[in-house]
Amino acid sequence: MPLVILFFIWIPIIIINALVPFWSQPGIFFGILIPKEQIRHQKLLTIRRNYCVATVVTAILFMGLSILCVQREVMSMLASIVYLIPAYFVVHILIYLQGYSGVKRLKKEKQWTVEKSSVIAVDTSEHNWSTISRMWNLVPLWLIAANIVFVAWNYDRIPAQIPIHYDASGQVDRIAQKSVGIIFALNLIQCLMVLIMAGVQEAIIRSKRQVHPEQSESTNNLRRSSRRYQAAVIHFITLISLALFASVQFSIIGLIDSSLTNWTLIAAILLIFAALISLPMVLKKNRTLVAEANAHTVFPDAGSDEHWKWGLFYVNRNDPALFVEKRGGVGITINLGRLTGWVFLIAPLVFAGAIVLFSFF
């Protein structure tokens, strides 16, 4: 079963990372703005194809190494996820930067330029126009409360000793005496996760909305629809993740069979993967419709390649916005030109590191 789970974890990673260049905003190649008439340039298509091949081959090698290590009992499934997946993402970023460098060099060689718009427009209307109601954030909290009540109701059925660590072969090598702290630790992680997801929702609400005075209402509706869909996907992933945490908790304390948790994990991975795949497809369609309806429009920051470091990070001290739409991929990103942006960047990393340390100690 661990090998099956690893397979279902790696396959979505491979597919999503390989498709990243296809999900950029119109006219964007690896975070660099390209003139519309050059989008199908043969060298650009070759750079994108080389990126996809390198990404898939590298991911398959890491997946094979992960499965081999678990099969030979060199490390546990959790250890392979914690160590090898981040290692792969480091290599993946290097592959992406190679593509970015190739596009940047080609643009300079060909002296491609894109005329910036002389009109700067900002939508100052109510932020809530672009997403779903904040009241939906209460739903995950209700589920966590129901989770806690269910565990507390069955507290007497929980064994006196609780497994808290597993060796490379997946066998329990550390146990702890039943206590309130041990039993409800995962509920604290659930609360922290909901807090982060709520922060992402707030970032979507407050992110800068680039508009143009000549845009029609139907175009604005497409942009609003895109943001609402992003918010809906985040809520969906949050609820699936909460269900998965609840299943793990019930399994650890002996309220359900561990095999059920394994199948729950596979189902959660598939559902999250389906949501993540649908998101860029919907956004790509809406972006294309917006671009076709406004072929004459270049948005204010479109030509500011200097503000997009390596095509990934937005750094602009003169922009008061803390959150902006990504150039590549989907969603929003942080303006690292502001000190507050660094706080938002580091906080989730600290949270993830705390979870990793908690799993090993």
Side-chain angles (χ1 to χ4, degrees):
M1 182 60 72
L3 300 182
V4 175
I5 293 175
L6 281 176
F7 178 80
F8 278 100
I9 290 175
W10 275 102
I11 292 301
I13 291 176
I14 294 173
I15 295 175
I16 291 174
N17 284 339
L19 295 178
V20 164
F22 298 91
W23 294 338
S24 298
Q25 296 189 31
I28 300 295
F29 250 79
F30 290 88
I32 298 177
L33 186 68
I34 300 297
K36 294 179 180 180
E37 62 273 13
Q38 301 296 340
I39 287 297
R40 304 299 298 176
H41 193 281
Q42 187 59 43
K43 289 188 177 180
L44 288 176
L45 299 180
T46 299
I47 292 173
R48 185 169 65 182
R49 181 176 65 251
N50 291 342
Y51 161 86
C52 294
V53 171
T55 296
V56 171
V57 171
T58 303
I60 290 176
L61 291 176
F62 269 92
M63 180 178 68
L65 178 61
S66 176
I67 292 175
L68 182 63
C69 288
V70 173
Q71 189 177 35
R72 297 293 181 85
E73 298 184 0
V74 175
M75 62 176 64
S76 66
M77 182 184 72
L78 177 61
S80 71
I81 293 173
V82 170
Y83 293 128
L84 295 182
I85 290 182
Y88 161 71
F89 275 107
V90 171
V91 177
H92 170 257
I93 290 176
L94 295 177
I95 296 173
Y96 180 90
L97 291 179
Q98 185 179 23
Y100 164 81
S101 299
V103 175
K104 183 178 181 180
R105 184 167 53 251
L106 180 63
K107 182 177 181 179
K108 184 177 181 180
E109 291 175 357
K110 300 295 184 180
Q111 298 182 347
W112 290 337
T113 59
V114 179
E115 182 182 356
K116 294 183 182 181
S117 171
S118 59
V119 179
I120 297 179
V122 178
D123 186 349
T124 59
S125 61
E126 174 60 36
H127 288 297
N128 285 336
W129 74 272
S130 61
T131 185
I132 58 181
S133 171
R134 291 185 178 93
M135 295 300 293
W136 282 99
N137 291 326
L138 296 177
V139 175
L141 297 178
W142 293 338
L143 293 179
I144 294 174
N147 186 169
I148 294 174
V149 170
F150 177 77
V151 173
W153 184 266
N154 292 277
Y155 192 83
D156 293 337
R157 294 175 51 195
I158 300 174
Q161 295 182 325
I162 305 297
I164 60 173
H165 197 273
Y166 297 84
D167 60 20
S169 62
Q171 300 299 315
V172 177
D173 63 359
R174 193 181 305 169
I175 60 175
Q177 296 298 317
K178 180 173 72 173
S179 67
V180 173
I182 292 293
I183 298 302
F184 294 102
L186 283 177
N187 299 120
L188 176 60
I189 296 177
Q190 285 179 317
C191 292
L192 292 174
M193 182 183 68
V194 170
L195 181 62
I196 290 177
M197 290 299 189
V200 174
Q201 295 281 16
E202 194 66 22
I204 294 176
I205 293 174
R206 296 181 177 275
S207 61
K208 181 173 66 175
R209 296 179 294 281
Q210 299 177 90
V211 298
H212 193 280
E214 297 179 19
Q215 282 185 342
S216 64
E217 185 61 26
S218 61
T219 297
N220 288 329
N221 287 337
L222 284 172
R223 298 174 68 84
R224 294 167 188 169
S225 173
S226 295
R227 293 197 173 209
R228 290 194 185 101
Y229 194 79
Q230 289 182 66
V233 167
I234 291 172
H235 272 292
F236 177 77
I237 293 176
T238 300
L239 296 178
I240 295 298
S241 300
L242 290 179
L244 179 59
F245 271 100
S247 177
V248 171
Q249 182 185 34
F250 298 162
S251 174
I252 291 176
I253 62 182
L255 295 181
I256 64 174
D257 188 80
S258 59
S259 62
L260 181 59
T261 299
N262 292 334
W263 288 111
T264 302
L265 175 59
I266 293 176
I269 292 172
L270 292 176
L271 289 172
I272 292 175
F273 172 62
L276 292 177
I277 285 292
S278 71
L279 178 59
M281 293 175 64
V282 171
L283 298 189
K284 182 69 174 180
K285 177 182 177 181
N286 286 353
R287 286 172 176 174
T288 301
L289 293 174
V290 169
E292 291 175 351
N294 301 272
H296 60 286
T297 301
V298 178
F299 289 110
D301 86 290
S304 304
D305 286 343
E306 66 272 15
H307 293 148
W308 290 90
K309 306 305 179 183
W310 304 300
L312 298 172
F313 307 105
Y314 183 67
V315 184
N316 187 355
R317 295 181 180 180
N318 297 322
D319 189 345
L322 180 59
F323 304 102
V324 298
E325 293 181 356
K326 283 184 177 180
R327 271 191 165 188
V330 298
I332 59 173
T333 190
I334 303 169
N335 182 5
L336 296 180
R338 300 182 58 186
L339 179 61
T340 311
W342 285 96
V343 175
F344 277 90
L345 176 67
I346 295 174
L349 298 178
V350 173
F351 171 67
I355 292 179
V356 172
L357 290 176
F358 177 80
S359 66
F360 284 97
F361 298 99

